[in-house]
């Protein structure tokens, strides 16, 4: 389900980003970062496709989706308020890695250390809350009776159109 979540997340960022942005959480923007890993286990093969780099196009990934691949890891950029986070999410476990938070206050004295540590914990917590909120949104949509006729059909159409354009 985690890989399906990441595939859905890519679809939503590409097709309906406003549907992801939560004004109550101050989520101002969410975009695909510089790495997407896909895995295709159809037709007795185990193929891993990695797309990385800041200027990398995602066309290969979209073609892999058309052939039956799912997203197993994705790098995301999130803007909450005026701050930006970058992080990787693994589909199999929803583990976060390579989390880059906004800058924290400078440590000028020994007394500043505790404040900076607490600020860093708060910044990491923001990413965890964001991911939890997005996953809850996905689960609500995924278990709805119209999943296959609505969101799933839209995702399939997006995959077919994206790979036809490349």
């Amino acid at each position: 389900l985690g890989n399906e979540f990441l595939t859905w997340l890519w679809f939503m960022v590409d097709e309906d980003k406003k549907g992801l942005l939560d004004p109550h959480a101050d989520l101002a923007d969410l975009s695909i970062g510089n790495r997407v890993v896909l895995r295709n286990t159809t037709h007795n093969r185990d193929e891993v496709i990695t797309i990385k780099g800041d200027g990398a196009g995602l066309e290969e990934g979209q073609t892999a989706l058309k052939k039956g691949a799912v997203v197993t890891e994705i790098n995301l950029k999130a803007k909450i308020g005026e701050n930006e986070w970058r992080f990787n999410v693994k589909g199999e476990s929803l583990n976060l890695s390579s989390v880059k938070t906004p800058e924290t206050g400078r440590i000028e004295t020994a007394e500043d250390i505790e404040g900076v540590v607490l600020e860093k914990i708060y910044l990491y917590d923001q990413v965890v809350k964001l991911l939890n909120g997005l996953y809850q949104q996905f689960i609500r949509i995924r278990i709805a009776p119209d999943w296959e006729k609505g969101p799933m059909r839209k995702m399939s159409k997006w995959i077919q159109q994206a790979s036809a354009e490349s």
Side-chain angles (χ1 to χ4, degrees), residues 59-125:
E59 298 83 16
E60 285 181 53
Q62 291 167 322
T63 300
L65 289 173
K66 184 177 182 180
K67 293 179 180 179
V70 292
V71 179
T72 59
E73 185 177 341
I74 196 165
N75 177 264
L76 296 169
K77 292 188 293 187
K79 187 172 182 185
I80 302 172
E82 295 298 316
N83 296 314
E84 184 178 280
W85 285 254
R86 288 179 174 254
F87 53 95
N88 293 334
V89 182
K90 290 195 180 271
E92 149 184 314
S93 59
L94 297 183
N95 281 346
L96 292 167
S97 63
S98 302
V99 178
K100 293 184 180 34
T101 65
E103 293 292 320
T104 57
R106 297 180 64 91
I107 299 175
E108 296 178 9
T109 66
E111 290 83 31
D112 295 339
I113 293 174
E114 181 180 351
V116 170
V117 168
L118 290 174
E119 184 178 8
K120 201 63 151 173
I121 291 169
Y122 170 78
L123 293 172
Y124 277 97
D125 187 51

Side-chain angles (χ1 to χ4, degrees), residues 120-139:
K120 201 63 151 173
I121 291 169
Y122 170 78
L123 293 172
Y124 277 97
D125 187 51
Q126 293 295 103
V127 171
V128 172
K129 285 180 180 176
L130 170 64
L131 188 62
N132 285 342
L134 292 170
Y135 192 67
Q136 286 175 2
Q137 183 179 356
F138 168 71
I139 293 299

